[in-house]
Amino acid sequence: MYEPIRTKSVHTMAEQDDFPHRSREEELDIRLAGHLTALLTTLDELRALTPDGSLDDAADRLAEQVARLRGGDFPLRARPSGGAPERIPSLHRRVHTLAGNALVVANSRSDRAAAELAAELLRRHADAGKLATA
């Protein structure tokens, strides 16, 4: 009475070889590199508004960590120029938030170098954000 279904159901499980698999460590590497890149971009923007040698050093160290996680590929960095000084407090808060996110992933991955750098930025920009809003 009914014609049998001749195609696979969309509800059947896909074959295991149909898509690439990544390990948990690879996924954490990708996620950590993303967090550190976002942190680097925000830090570069802050550096354009408040030139500081320690910010330059932190940005260079971040770029090295991203390159390490990406197998030697350094991130592309825009050189922002100027901007509105009233954005400085929000940039400090954003660096603080992004550093916290990176710290969580670095700890999950047991990446001591990235965790120490993220913790340093987290502490430093927590104080700067409080001073900037006062």
Side-chain angles (χ1 to χ4, degrees), residues 9-126:
S9 170
V10 295
H11 300 289
T12 57
M13 293 296 292
E15 295 293 327
Q16 293 297 336
D17 298 330
D18 284 355
F19 57 93
H21 295 278
R22 287 190 281 246
S23 67
R24 179 177 187 273
E25 290 77 23
E26 290 171 322
E27 290 291 339
L28 287 173
D29 283 350
I30 292 167
R31 182 173 289 175
L32 181 57
H35 284 302
L36 293 178
T37 301
L39 182 56
L40 177 60
T41 302
T42 307
L43 200 59
D44 280 342
E45 197 173 342
L46 184 60
R47 286 176 46 226
L49 293 171
T50 57
D52 181 2
S54 61
L55 290 177
D56 295 341
D57 178 53
D60 291 340
R61 289 170 42 211
L62 276 172
E64 289 171 7
Q65 290 298 317
V66 171
R68 179 181 57 85
L69 291 167
R70 289 181 168 175
D73 293 332
F74 276 83
L76 295 176
R77 295 173 67 182
R79 299 289 180 202
S81 59
E86 58 270 4
R87 294 192 60 224
I88 293 172
S90 66
L91 287 172
H92 280 294
R93 286 190 298 272
R94 182 151 172 78
V95 168
H96 182 264
T97 301
L98 291 168
N101 293 341
L103 180 60
V104 169
V105 177
N107 282 332
S108 295
R109 189 184 170 277
S110 299
D111 187 329
R112 185 179 176 141
E116 287 175 358
L117 181 56
E120 175 188 326
L121 289 169
L122 188 69
R123 282 188 303 271
R124 181 176 180 187
H125 291 277

